[in-house]
Amino acid sequence: MNSSRLARRLDGIPPTVFSEMSALAARTGAINLGQGFPDVDGPPSVIASAVAALQSGANQYAPGIGVPALRQAIARHQQRHYGLELDPDREVVVTTGCTEGIAAALLGLIDPGDEVVVLEPYYDSYLAMIEMCGAVRRPVTLRAPEFRLDADALRAAVGPRTRAILLNSPHNPTGTVLTRAELQAVADVAIERDLVVITDEVYEHLVFDSHEHVPLATLPGMWERTLTLSSAGKSYSFTGWKVGWATGPASLVGAVLAAKQWLTFTSGSPLQPAVAHALDHEPDWPTALARSLQDRRDLLVAGLADAGLVARVPEGTYFATTDISHLGWEDGRSFCLALPERAGVVAIPNQAFYDDQDAGRHMVRWAFCKEPDLIAEGVRRLAAADLTR
Ligand code: GLN
């Protein structure tokens, strides 16, 4: 397209690196350890439920807020896991993946000129949507090698124009799971400064070892100011279904719905009862997924080490990050662009997720939501290749 025709609100927002790197993998035939999508689908009973819904007439518009069965199942899920009591008619809205949830939350809650405090590295759609809202991001860097939240930096990032904090835990791409103490630091600032927190918890069930995911909404005083986002894509390995949800007090959920009605209007009808089935009838599936991911994490981290790449062992998500500065490349992007030819592997350069390029320039992310054989072959190729510039 003639780039001069592009609206200013999109000018300067680069194309999503995930699509770029998946296209690179497709073009070169490299093993795709880049974009985070599993290569095995979620539970067969959930697919059967979607097929049944398709064949039994669930093919016209669903209610904008989502079908009652799914909203009720989401409310039960929040109760069962976190002890949160939700009104499924006012405190739950179904979205077209968490990505639409992020978009609708920001469009519904943020005015032009507002500031949004966001963890860095940030997921790329946060940056794009904050820009499209005409708002300003204030990043708080999770610094290598431990990628912990610096409470003082968080506090310093909040100013008079701050409207919201956009949180993500378990955190993509670092694999950090915020501890209760870190979350309390977020809660303290949010309460003191009367801020809304939008918290992306799509990896809520994908945590390892003894780490525990604590929803921010469960902290004292936080329910009324927290909008929580999640999805079936990550918990049930149906990333292509694009079924997500936002939960929280009616005022925040209402703001999401107010924007969502003009974005997608409603989300896919036949997939909603199927996701309700998943939440109600396959409650242990995400835990089993996390157990198998933990083994695959260990396989990847050990294999990366054999290739001379030291990863911080992720506490959650399905990503591991390495610092490649010792290999002599100008940045992670040039490394990742050369990697298919060098090693037949694709990874994600995290620098696209940083304002602070000194912190992010050489960070590279590897996905382990792939079958063990594929991970093993990927790291074997890395170990056999010359990865230096
Ligand atoms: N969440 C996935 C990842 O981080 C990608 C989703 C996307 O490409 N929008 O890799």
Side-chain angles (χ1 to χ4, degrees):
M1 190 181 60
N2 181 344
S3 64
S4 67
R5 292 186 199 272
L6 188 67
R8 273 197 297 277
R9 79 173 65 84
L10 287 168
D11 206 16
I13 304 178
T16 174
V17 68
F18 300 113
S19 302
E20 183 189 3
M21 291 298 155
S22 280
L24 180 64
R27 203 161 59 239
T28 58
I31 292 179
N32 191 354
L33 302 182
Q35 191 176 28
F37 60 90
D39 48 9
V40 173
D41 289 341
S45 77
V46 179
I47 295 175
S49 173
V51 170
L54 278 163
Q55 290 177 335
S56 63
N59 296 302
Q60 308 308 326
Y61 297 127
I65 193 172
V67 303
L70 178 53
R71 284 183 283 112
Q72 288 156 13
I74 293 164
R76 281 191 289 274
H77 172 275
Q78 296 305 94
Q79 208 289 327
R80 194 164 65 240
H81 287 280
Y82 310 125
L84 293 167
E85 301 284 348
L86 273 61
D87 175 349
D89 294 329
R90 298 168 65 244
E91 296 175 332
V92 181
V93 56
V94 175
T95 57
T96 301
C98 184
T99 300
E100 192 201 27
I102 292 160
L106 291 170
L107 288 167
L109 293 165
I110 304 299
D111 282 314
D114 285 349
E115 293 182 0
V116 179
V117 170
V118 59
L119 300 184
E120 169 181 278
Y122 35 72
Y123 187 55
D124 64 351
S125 91
Y126 303 168
L127 170 137
M129 283 314 306
I130 291 169
E131 287 281 325
M132 287 169 76
C133 288
V136 177
R137 63 181 178 276
R138 292 284 173 228
V140 176
T141 309
L142 304 180
R143 287 186 192 283
E146 292 304 323
F147 301 113
R148 303 298 345 159
L149 177 63
D150 176 342
D152 294 332
L154 173 71
R155 196 165 278 279
V158 175
R161 307 197 68 167
T162 304
R163 185 80 166 260
I165 299 172
L166 175 49
L167 206 68
N168 170 219
S169 180
H171 183 261
N172 174 13
T174 65
T176 290
V177 178
L178 294 180
T179 62
R180 198 176 279 278
E182 287 168 315
L183 292 166
Q184 189 60 54
V186 176
D188 290 346
V189 174
I191 291 169
E192 197 178 298
R193 308 301 288 268
D194 193 24
L195 304 175
V196 164
V197 186
I198 301 162
T199 172
D200 171 353
E201 301 185 1
V202 283
Y203 299 99
E204 61 184 319
H205 295 300
L206 308 185
V207 292
F208 313 126
D209 307 314
S210 57
H211 298 285
E212 185 198 4
H213 168 65
V214 178
L216 186 72
T218 60
L219 269 61
M222 286 310 289
W223 164 257
E224 56 264 38
R225 60 179 68 252
T226 302
L227 184 75
T228 306
L229 308 176
S230 193
S231 92
K234 302 302 191 297
S235 295
Y236 285 94
S237 295
F238 288 119
T239 61
W241 282 20
K242 302 299 295 172
V243 178
W245 48 87
T247 56
S251 58
L252 299 183
V253 164
V256 172
L257 184 56
K260 184 228 156 68
Q261 67 183 325
W262 307 120
L263 294 171
T264 53
F265 182 45
T266 72
S267 301
S269 311
L271 300 180
Q272 294 190 44
V275 172
H277 174 92
L279 294 172
D280 284 339
H281 299 287
E282 299 279 2
D284 301 328
W285 200 89
T287 316
L289 174 62
R291 266 200 304 274
S292 104
L293 280 171
Q294 183 169 323
D295 294 340
R296 291 182 266 167
R297 172 199 69 175
D298 295 343
L299 181 66
L300 176 75
V301 169
L304 288 172
D306 289 342
L309 296 164
V310 179
R312 184 287 199 99
V313 178
E315 300 162 348
T317 75
Y318 35 58
F319 307 112
T321 287
T322 54
D323 181 342
I324 57 124
S325 40
H326 61 293
L327 297 176
W329 298 84
E330 181 194 345
D331 57 12
R333 185 173 169 81
S334 51
F335 172 80
C336 287
L337 289 175
L339 201 56
E341 201 183 310
R342 287 290 184 95
V345 174
V346 159
I348 298 286
N350 288 0
Q351 70 194 110
F353 313 143
Y354 284 86
D355 282 21
D356 182 348
Q357 286 293 301
D358 288 342
R361 187 172 291 118
H362 290 106
M363 298 295 162
V364 170
R365 189 192 83 173
W366 313 83
F368 52 90
C369 47
K370 311 293 175 181
E371 283 299 271
D373 288 353
L374 204 72
I375 296 171
E377 174 60 15
V379 291
R380 195 195 58 71
R381 290 183 185 186
L382 290 171
D386 176 9
L387 301 178
T388 56
R389 175 77 182 92

